[in-house]
Amino acid sequence: MAIDRISSLPDELLINVLNILPTKYAVITSILSRKWGNLFKEVTHLDFDDSLLFNSLSVFDHEKRCVSFRAFVCKMLGCLKLANLISFRIRCTATCEGCERESVGLWLSAILSHGIQEIDLCIGGTPDVFPHSLFTCKTLCILKLNFVFTILNIPGTVCLPCLKILHLQQVTVIDEDLIGRIFAGCPLLEEFNWDSLTWYDARQLSISAPSLRKLKLGDGKYFESSVFVRGAMDSVAIIAPLLQSFYYSDKLAKSYFIKTSNYLVEAHVDIYIDSCDFKDSSLSHAARDLIQGVSNVKRLFLSADGIKAVTLVKDELPILRNLTTLKIGCSTNPHLTLLRLLGSAPNLEELTFSEGLFHVGLTDKDTVQQDYWGRGVVPSCLKTHLKVIEIEHFLGLKEELRIVEYFLSNGHALEQLIIHKWMGRKAKFKVRKQFKRLGRRWNKCVNFNELFL
Amino acid sequence: MAETSSKKIILKSSDNEDFEVDEIVALESQTIKHMIEDGCADNAIPLPNVTAKTLSKVIEYCKKHVDVAATKPADASTSTAAGVAGDDELKKWDEEFVKVDQTALFDLILAANYLDIKSLLELTCQSVADGIKNKTVEEVRKTFNITNDFTPEEEEAVRKENQWAFE
């Protein structure tokens, strides 16, 4: 016989479940049975999403939706003990000019005077109507702001003594001082994600963060923002002694000052450079300083454009002493830069070509034989430390095989060479046969992974 | 490769079955951790609220999470991509783990609550929440066999009071 076990769970566990649900569903449980009637009033996590509220209302009935949504939130806030509220999340994309923002301002005022810990706002509108207490809340640990392309402007002081995580998404910042003020006011900040860095309309960026462990600047979609494309910044300064993870996607700035320490574990560098900037010799220093700033890193990912940045560096590259893993995208430049990088990473153990050695679509005619794979000093990491090489999108080009041969002959520590074949290529190529002639010993460490794309 | 300390702890289920586990696995439970710290664990630790069937599932969960944590590179925290990748795999395992019948699921919730294993409690509660999300009231009642003990007038009153959620 089917029994109702869920209702016999202790109230606190049921409230746990309700806390996970979007608030609309939590309220709906009030109708399930008597036991459930008032449970929803005990939730400590609120999650309002206006896209969930419009089942019956017409999509085009804009004003009715706003009114309905506002009423819902007000009623809910009225039911709860606000003092117990831990987390407040609101997604409001159907906004009426002005009215929505004012309401949100009022709601926030009500919540902020208690012990709220997490606020996640996805709402169009400037924070001018938001209570200043949003930026001076003593208990706030997590703050996520998505203002749907409006300007973040905080006129007064920022003082969030408990804030650990700050996310800015689709937010425009025009005040150069603001970032500095935010960091000054958030001494415990551990994680800062700024996806919409492209919308930063200033020439300098300065981040000094004693507790920061994770930093994400940009979101890899720089090129897709056709609405507003900012030019290169004059300077980027980052002082973060405890930084563990660094993600950076933006146009190469004109100068860098980055101070990290051996805590830095991984860095993802995705730099965009205008083709005309290649002739600008001052960018050589910028690129070098950028690499210098992350030279402590253990795992480095360089996008195709990131490699272009390295190509710019005319002087010797900084030594990447701790680097054990290197993943690179596929650059249109020849692989000389790669050899230079390998030369600066004496302890490298893993090398991955995440987008292959050459762009898909190239043929043997397009790939010129490069001499430097034969001459010159072999990077020391190949002789002593490099254990694994992984190549995605292998096309079967002659030049690719030459490069592989180079690695196999010079890679004395090599244990595995993993090849992912690009099956999109029509012409069949007998890769195995070609590898066979490289000797039996090497056949043991070459591993084929055939991806069917 | 294995940890040098392989101290074993014996856990006794409500139906008197003994389970021998590595101490590090048992420590996933804050309740057991406190018992060990208080010196109550010299003999078998009795768990009168957990049956053998549920306890073996709980142990399976704890063991997997301990194993995964041990094989992560030392610096892979949730801040790093390597840490996240390991977490994704574990997440998939968790999703499969929690695909059990309702009875087993509720037993797991109660056990996770009693044994104070935060991640297991979150996982199981999420599973229940998924059973309520995006469903109508009738569907939820059916899924969980909840009897509607409201009188029609009472139900109407509650519905009216909270009608803003039903629009």
Side-chain angles (χ1 to χ4, degrees):
Chain A
M1 200 201 99
I3 36 169
D4 173 9
R5 285 210 56 193
I6 191 174
S7 302
S8 61
L9 288 179
D11 280 2
E12 56 166 29
L13 287 181
L14 290 177
I15 292 166
N16 243 1
V17 172
L18 294 183
N19 272 334
I20 299 171
L21 288 168
T23 303
K24 175 184 158 100
Y25 294 105
V27 178
I28 284 177
T29 63
S30 58
I31 291 248
L32 287 173
S33 74
R34 280 197 184 136
K35 156 125 189 180
W36 291 82
N38 287 313
L39 277 178
F40 76 93
K41 296 180 187 172
E42 309 286 323
V43 292
T44 53
H45 292 54
L46 289 176
D47 181 351
F48 298 104
D49 189 334
D50 70 351
S51 65
L52 288 180
L53 286 183
F54 306 127
N55 297 331
S56 54
L57 298 177
S58 142
V59 178
F60 301 107
D61 205 339
H62 213 71
E63 206 180 312
K64 221 173 168 188
R65 287 166 74 185
C66 286
V67 169
S68 181
F69 183 67
R70 264 187 292 147
F72 182 92
V73 178
C74 285
K75 285 262 171 59
M76 191 62 195
L77 289 176
C79 283
L80 301 178
K81 293 177 204 121
L82 291 180
N84 294 340
L85 201 58
I86 293 174
S87 156
F88 180 74
R89 196 172 169 259
I90 184 162
R91 233 136 221 73
C92 186
T93 45
T95 51
C96 310
E97 272 311 305
C99 68
E100 215 61 52
R101 285 174 245 157
E102 239 179 82
S103 309
V104 174
L106 290 170
W107 299 332
L108 286 175
S109 296
I111 294 162
L112 285 161
S113 46
H114 302 280
I116 190 92
Q117 292 177 23
E118 177 177 346
I119 293 181
D120 183 345
L121 299 176
C122 174
I123 183 162
T126 75
D128 290 355
V129 291
F130 295 164
H132 189 66
S133 46
L134 177 61
F135 302 106
T136 55
C137 175
K138 291 193 175 41
T139 51
L140 200 59
C141 297
I142 299 175
L143 180 59
K144 296 183 185 173
L145 300 176
N146 182 338
F147 287 148
V148 196
F149 301 126
T150 35
I151 300 171
L152 177 63
N153 191 20
I154 309 172
T157 26
V158 175
C159 179
L160 297 164
C162 287
L163 197 71
K164 291 233 169 89
I165 295 176
L166 177 60
H167 286 197
L168 299 179
Q169 231 183 322
Q170 295 190 112
V171 156
T172 308
V173 175
I174 54 175
D175 174 5
E176 226 172 72
D177 277 336
L178 180 58
I179 298 298
R181 282 195 292 129
I182 288 176
F183 277 97
C186 305
L188 295 188
L189 197 65
E190 290 182 8
E191 181 178 318
F192 181 53
N193 275 19
W194 190 3
D195 284 346
S196 54
L197 181 66
T198 10
W199 298 80
Y200 180 52
D201 191 12
R203 310 238 53 93
Q204 302 191 28
L205 177 62
S206 178
I207 292 175
S208 177
S211 309
L212 199 66
R213 281 155 176 70
K214 187 176 176 194
L215 178 60
K216 181 172 191 247
L217 297 174
D219 63 358
K221 296 185 190 142
Y222 182 89
F223 324 109
E224 291 170 27
S225 318
S226 53
V227 182
F228 168 65
V229 179
R230 174 181 34 77
M233 280 196 252
D234 288 337
S235 75
V236 171
I238 300 169
I239 301 172
L242 294 184
L243 196 65
Q244 292 174 357
S245 168
F246 181 43
Y247 177 103
Y248 181 52
S249 172
D250 194 29
K251 205 163 184 185
L252 183 70
K254 298 195 180 139
S255 77
Y256 286 97
F257 180 75
I258 300 176
K259 268 205 90 68
T260 57
S261 71
N262 281 331
Y263 277 106
L264 188 63
V265 172
E266 63 183 22
H268 180 121
V269 175
D270 182 11
I271 297 297
Y272 176 67
I273 305 174
D274 276 333
S275 39
C276 55
D277 285 341
F278 273 98
K279 300 176 193 123
D280 183 353
S281 52
S282 64
L283 286 184
S284 161
H285 295 291
R288 192 187 188 280
D289 289 340
L290 173 57
I291 303 294
Q292 177 69 53
V294 298
S295 58
N296 289 315
V297 77
K298 294 199 176 81
R299 293 192 282 274
L300 178 61
F301 173 79
L302 279 175
S303 68
D305 283 326
I307 300 180
K308 279 190 202 163
V310 178
T311 312
L312 276 181
V313 179
K314 297 201 172 51
D315 305 321
E316 222 177 287
L317 288 176
I319 301 289
L320 305 166
R321 202 162 301 284
N322 301 333
L323 195 68
T324 55
T325 305
L326 176 63
K327 289 191 187 180
I328 55 176
C330 182
S331 171
T332 45
N333 285 333
H335 297 105
L336 179 59
T337 308
L338 171 64
L339 281 170
R340 286 179 70 199
L341 264 171
L342 292 179
S344 322
N347 298 311
L348 191 69
E349 292 175 10
E350 268 181 58
L351 173 62
T352 302
F353 295 90
S354 350
E355 295 164 10
L357 289 166
F358 292 98
H359 286 301
V360 172
L362 291 182
T363 63
D364 280 324
K365 277 185 246 156
D366 307 313
T367 53
V368 178
Q369 183 170 334
Q370 301 292 350
D371 289 334
Y372 46 73
W373 284 111
R375 57 174 164 83
V377 180
V378 172
S380 70
C381 65
L382 271 176
K383 293 186 241 177
T384 54
H385 283 81
L386 192 58
K387 294 196 183 82
V388 180
I389 298 178
E390 192 165 346
I391 305 175
E392 304 270 355
H393 301 328
F394 196 80
L395 305 168
L397 302 175
K398 286 205 192 95
E399 188 61 13
E400 277 178 322
L401 289 162
R402 276 194 73 225
I403 294 170
V404 167
E405 208 169 340
Y406 173 87
F407 281 125
L408 289 176
S409 351
N410 292 297
H412 303 314
L414 199 58
E415 287 169 14
Q416 268 200 82
L417 173 58
I418 305 167
I419 310 252
H420 299 266
K421 215 158 91 173
W422 173 256
M423 291 306 282
R425 195 171 141 84
K426 265 191 168 174
K428 286 193 188 131
F429 55 95
K430 300 174 180 66
V431 178
R432 277 175 218 272
K433 226 182 185 179
Q434 286 154 323
F435 276 103
K436 262 194 182 138
R437 63 178 175 78
L438 293 172
R440 231 180 276 158
R441 180 183 163 214
W442 297 113
N443 276 320
K444 283 209 177 129
C445 81
V446 177
N447 190 346
F448 288 94
N449 248 317
E450 313 204 359
L451 288 174
F452 290 86
L453 291 143
Chain B
M1 199 175 91
E3 287 287 308
T4 49
S5 110
S6 53
K7 183 160 176 224
K8 303 275 187 200
I9 298 278
I10 299 177
L11 303 174
K12 197 187 266 292
S13 71
S14 60
D15 37 4
N16 263 313
E17 207 176 305
D18 283 352
F19 291 83
E20 192 185 66
V21 294
D22 288 333
E23 186 184 40
I24 192 174
V25 171
L27 289 175
E28 289 284 290
S29 153
Q30 292 300 308
T31 308
I32 295 177
K33 182 164 181 257
H34 293 316
M35 281 174 161
I36 293 176
E37 284 167 355
D38 292 345
C40 308
D42 293 334
N43 303 315
I45 298 183
L47 301 171
N49 296 356
V50 190
T51 63
K53 184 172 176 230
T54 308
L55 187 54
S56 84
K57 268 293 247 183
V58 171
I59 290 171
E60 185 191 338
Y61 176 88
C62 294
K63 196 165 188 308
K64 176 69 179 179
H65 280 241
V66 163
D67 284 346
V68 168
T71 53
K72 260 192 195 180
D75 45 33
S77 65
T78 44
S79 311
T80 66
V84 169
D87 288 344
D88 282 345
E89 225 186 280
L90 187 58
K91 230 177 158 188
K92 286 200 183 100
W93 187 91
D94 281 350
E95 274 168 26
E96 283 307 310
F97 177 81
V98 94
K99 281 183 182 161
V100 293
D101 62 62
Q102 262 190 40
T103 314
L105 183 62
F106 290 120
D107 284 337
L108 273 175
I109 291 185
L110 290 166
N113 189 39
Y114 168 65
L115 293 170
D116 196 356
I117 305 171
K118 192 163 172 244
S119 59
L120 181 58
L121 187 60
E122 274 172 19
L123 177 66
T124 45
C125 284
Q126 180 67 59
S127 195
V128 175
D130 291 341
I132 298 177
K133 213 164 34 164
N134 299 329
K135 289 211 173 90
T136 64
V137 174
E138 265 319 306
E139 285 167 345
V140 175
R141 281 197 189 121
K142 208 164 167 210
T143 309
F144 294 105
N145 308 307
I146 301 174
T147 319
N148 181 2
D149 56 357
F150 281 125
T151 65
E153 296 83 30
E154 281 172 342
E155 180 173 338
E156 192 48 45
V158 176
R159 203 179 267 274
K160 209 171 173 200
E161 194 185 317
N162 302 326
Q163 75 178 40
W164 34 284
F166 294 96
E167 272 165 13

